[in-house]
Amino acid sequence: MAEDNWIKAEGNDIHNFDEEPTLIGTYIRKEENTGPNASNLYTLEKTDGGYISVWGNTILDNRFEIVNLGEEVRIVYYGKVKSEKTGREYRNFDLWHRKPAFKKV
């Protein structure tokens, strides 16, 4: 509850790509070495004004390298696939980005 206009800062939900394979939002923050696996955690602002976070993996970390804070992103999850080189399974994603549309204030 906001008391005297104070808003409590709480952690964001983590997006579940198994339930919703596509996520669209504005990239607003990257946290490094987070959690028990010292992973990257990316935070997006959704179109409804809420916030959602996404755990990084090798694919997402590499693709986020060229995305600037403030850009819109669309992440699509394709499920687990098997690497031809190693035989290991990994979570496969595509990531698109674009400069946000100009908003008149």
Side-chain angles (χ1 to χ4, degrees):
M1 177 172 102
E3 184 178 309
D4 295 328
N5 296 323
W6 289 96
I7 300 170
K8 184 177 179 183
E10 299 182 83
N12 301 319
D13 290 333
I14 302 296
H15 186 74
N16 184 336
F17 284 102
D18 292 320
E19 292 178 6
E20 187 179 349
T22 300
L23 174 62
I24 297 173
T26 302
Y27 175 39
I28 62 165
R29 182 175 58 233
K30 174 185 177 184
E31 297 174 59
E32 298 181 56
N33 299 316
T34 301
N37 297 318
S39 300
N40 291 331
L41 187 65
Y42 302 95
T43 300
L44 306 180
E45 182 176 2
K46 302 185 299 183
T47 55
D48 67 4
Y51 299 94
I52 193 82
S53 294
V54 175
W55 286 111
N57 68 1
T58 301
I59 290 174
L60 285 176
D61 290 343
N62 287 334
R63 296 194 175 145
F64 264 105
E65 285 292 318
I66 62 168
V67 179
N68 295 310
L69 291 174
E71 287 190 313
E72 292 178 300
V73 297
R74 179 176 61 186
I75 304 169
V76 178
Y77 174 57
Y78 297 111
K80 290 184 179 179
V81 296
K82 191 177 230 177
S83 169
E84 291 181 17
K85 291 182 180 180
T86 65
R88 293 177 55 198
E89 279 193 342
Y90 63 94
R91 293 170 59 94
N92 191 21
F93 295 89
D94 268 337
L95 186 146
W96 288 268
H97 64 106
R98 65 181 178 189
K99 294 190 183 316
F102 178 76
K103 294 181 183 178
K104 187 175 180 179
V105 287

